[in-house]
Amino acid sequence: MPSRPRDADPMLGDLSEGEILRAILSRTARGSHTLLGPGDDAAVIAAPSGSVVATTDTLVHGPDFRLAWSSGYDLGWKAAAVNLADVAAMGARPTALLVALAIPRDLRLSFVERLADGFREACAALAPGCAVVGGDLTVSDVLTVAVTALGDLEGRAPVTRAGARIGDIVAIAGELGHAAHGLSVLFGRFREAGTGVPVPVDVSVLRSGERAALQAQLRPTPPIGLGPFAATAGATAMMDVSDGLALDARRMAAASEVTIALDAAMLGDDPLRALAGGEDHALLAAFPPGALPAGFRIIGEVRARGDHDLLVDDAPVDVSGWDPYRDWDSASG
């Protein structure tokens, strides 16, 4: 998209709330479940099954993204994707997003326009028929994007973390470790020496594998459509892998009161990164034997509860995942 002259791209502090909202709403699409979209006190969304799945997630500048590394489009896409994945992990089809923005006054109008483009195009690519139907806008010194996602179970029962049964196979849909690799590229290659301040990404210096990893971090493409498919196929438990496979598999095991045993050989070329890395938003699921649907691959099995929630190659592993209260260092850039 060609850039506009700066005098035609005002800072948000020079515009009214109404002008900013009009710019955003002009770039949204109408969802197939939308009965009443943006412009009123609330939206109205059809829920044919009578059940609504709801989730929310917040991206904050600093712990969740850096403007030196993420464009407005990247941020809109990622904010949509991470919430769509949570809906899909319940076996539901995403129907609508509500977006609340807290935006610094010194950002340009083009930034929020591209943010809206990212939301629209992520929905079109990952969850056709889902759309942004409303939200809120305010000013803040810290850029924050808070999203609420809604979904329809279409008559199915929700698939929770707590249903894995002894003898089930454990499977994954999507990639593992790629987003963590992308994050290591950002922190390792694109910060000022000594200060840790992020600097813009120079894609020309990256190898093809690094570019793909960076794309997985900035614009994840979780397998949203496989969530409802897995539910129909008989998934007994399912969840979005957002904080690392080791941590999220432990969560499923604890909720289901079982032990999950994984095979390291099934975790790709870098099992440690697959276990510890987060933000790929793959779908982790348990299925009865013989019920594995297309798009999922087996990585382990469900066993009777033992001394450990998680085993890898029959041994406990000292690998955790992302915990913002423990892992985020505000001085790191």
Side-chain angles (χ1 to χ4, degrees), residues 257-286:
E257 298 183 342
V258 296
T259 289
I260 288 180
L262 302 180
D263 182 345
M266 301 295 183
L267 301 182
D269 296 335
D270 192 336
L272 180 59
R273 180 173 280 160
L275 287 165
E279 296 193 288
D280 286 303
H281 300 286
L283 294 178
L284 174 67

Side-chain angles (χ1 to χ4, degrees), residues 146-165:
V147 180
T148 296
L150 306 178
D152 183 21
L153 286 165
E154 301 174 319
R156 296 179 292 273
V159 184
T160 72
R161 305 176 180 189
R165 300 175 299 198

